[in-house]
Amino acid sequence: MTSDDKRPSASRLYNLYLGGRHYGEVEKDFAENTVYPLIPFIVEWALLSRGFLRRAVGFCHEQGIRQFIDAGAGYPAPDGNVHEIAADARVVYLDHDPGVVAAFADLAGDDPRVRVVRGDVREPSAALARVREFLDLSQPTALLMNAVLHFLDQPGPLVREWVEALAPGSYLVISHGSVDDTPAGPDDRAELVRRYRRNSATLIPRTAEQIGEFFRGLELVPPGLVPAADWRSDVPPVLHDQRARHGMRAGVGYKRTGR
């Protein structure tokens, strides 16, 4: 639960959009009365973003990655979580919300491959110390920052600190709300940001150029920084809700050996 149970939680809202069960009446009311009337395609948008994460985890696993950090994990999704997708990997789920930690601990049970850590993405040093108790960061690791950075003010330095802790051969996976190609007009975007200020996190969508800066020093894996729905998807774009296809950019960066 967040520090203020009367305010909608961004992570619980996202779980609601994904069809999960980790939300309350305050999130349901906020979504139905505040979000859906403005962005009616937000459920499809969230599902496409989550689909990107599943594909990115699968890609990293195919490249031999056997360690994953899900930073700002949010609540367990109903359609496959990292340790369920990469079945032989060691996974750390990191989140500052004690409700998220409890939910993942309940899901993971006594699975020796999984560690659930209460930590804040905004405090890399402290969080990494906890991560290192379970993962060997001298070995290639995938750092997942899915739909989290757009809730942070000036996250660039934080991302760099996280990436610097990773070994060469590691991957950075990011999806982020984008203002470049969203079907919502400037007024609707501003209104969505204003409405999100009522919940536990401020929403800060960014341009593709700004999102691309998070990958500075890394090699972008083809097809690069693209709409989340299009990243290595075998579903033709025409079959997606065209409004939901946009507004979320995603990419995977590779930390080349020797950098």
Side-chain angles (χ1 to χ4, degrees):
M1 203 50 96
T2 63
S3 59
D4 184 350
D5 293 350
K6 296 180 181 179
R7 299 180 66 196
S9 156
S11 57
R12 287 181 182 268
L13 278 168
Y14 190 59
N15 196 255
L16 168 62
Y17 303 151
L18 293 176
R21 59 182 178 85
H22 300 283
Y23 63 89
E25 284 300 316
V26 66
E27 284 80 28
K28 184 179 178 182
D29 288 346
F30 182 82
E32 291 179 349
N33 298 316
T34 303
V35 180
Y36 296 159
L38 185 65
I39 310 291
F41 51 88
I42 198 165
V43 169
E44 291 82 0
W45 178 84
L47 290 170
L48 290 173
S49 173
R50 188 70 189 183
F52 156 73
L53 179 66
R54 292 197 303 271
R55 295 192 300 277
V57 168
F59 168 81
C60 292
H61 189 258
E62 290 171 0
Q63 307 313 303
I65 297 297
R66 295 298 180 267
Q67 299 189 134
F68 291 82
I69 306 168
D70 194 350
Y75 283 89
D79 58 350
N81 298 283
V82 179
H83 73 285
E84 296 163 333
I85 300 167
D88 60 345
R90 291 165 69 85
V91 178
V92 169
Y93 293 105
L94 176 96
D95 203 284
H96 73 285
D97 186 334
V100 170
V101 172
F104 264 114
D106 182 62
L107 176 67
D110 58 359
D111 191 327
R113 301 170 304 118
V114 179
R115 179 69 56 87
V116 187
V117 172
R118 188 177 181 190
D120 199 320
V121 173
R122 297 166 294 186
E123 300 174 354
S125 296
L128 283 163
R130 298 291 309 280
V131 168
R132 288 190 176 99
E133 295 174 3
F134 187 64
L135 300 183
D136 178 4
L137 296 189
S138 69
Q139 299 300 312
T141 303
L143 172 62
L144 314 176
M145 292 182 153
N146 191 56
V148 64
L149 297 178
H150 51 228
F151 293 117
L152 304 181
D153 185 32
Q154 299 182 343
L158 301 175
V159 175
R160 285 191 287 275
E161 188 171 348
W162 278 96
V163 171
E164 286 173 2
L166 302 179
S170 294
Y171 290 89
L172 172 65
V173 176
I174 290 176
S175 67
H176 192 297
S178 169
V179 298
D180 292 282
D181 55 0
T182 178
D187 291 343
D188 284 347
R189 294 199 303 267
E191 178 63 13
L192 180 65
V193 169
R194 187 187 70 80
R195 294 184 185 189
Y196 251 79
R197 290 197 185 106
R198 301 180 196 173
N199 68 32
S200 63
T202 299
L203 179 64
I204 309 174
R206 295 181 169 92
T207 66
E209 182 178 359
Q210 290 171 320
I211 299 167
E213 281 295 302
F214 300 140
F215 294 100
R216 182 186 298 181
L218 303 178
E219 180 181 305
L220 271 173
V221 172
L225 185 62
V226 297
D230 297 343
W231 196 90
R232 296 190 173 229
S233 174
D234 57 3
V235 178
V238 70
L239 297 182
H240 292 309
D241 183 316
Q242 293 305 297
R243 301 168 302 170
R245 273 191 66 244
H246 301 288
M248 177 71 82
R249 289 272 171 169
V252 175
Y254 175 66
K255 188 173 183 179
R256 182 172 291 281
T257 302
R259 290 191 179 181

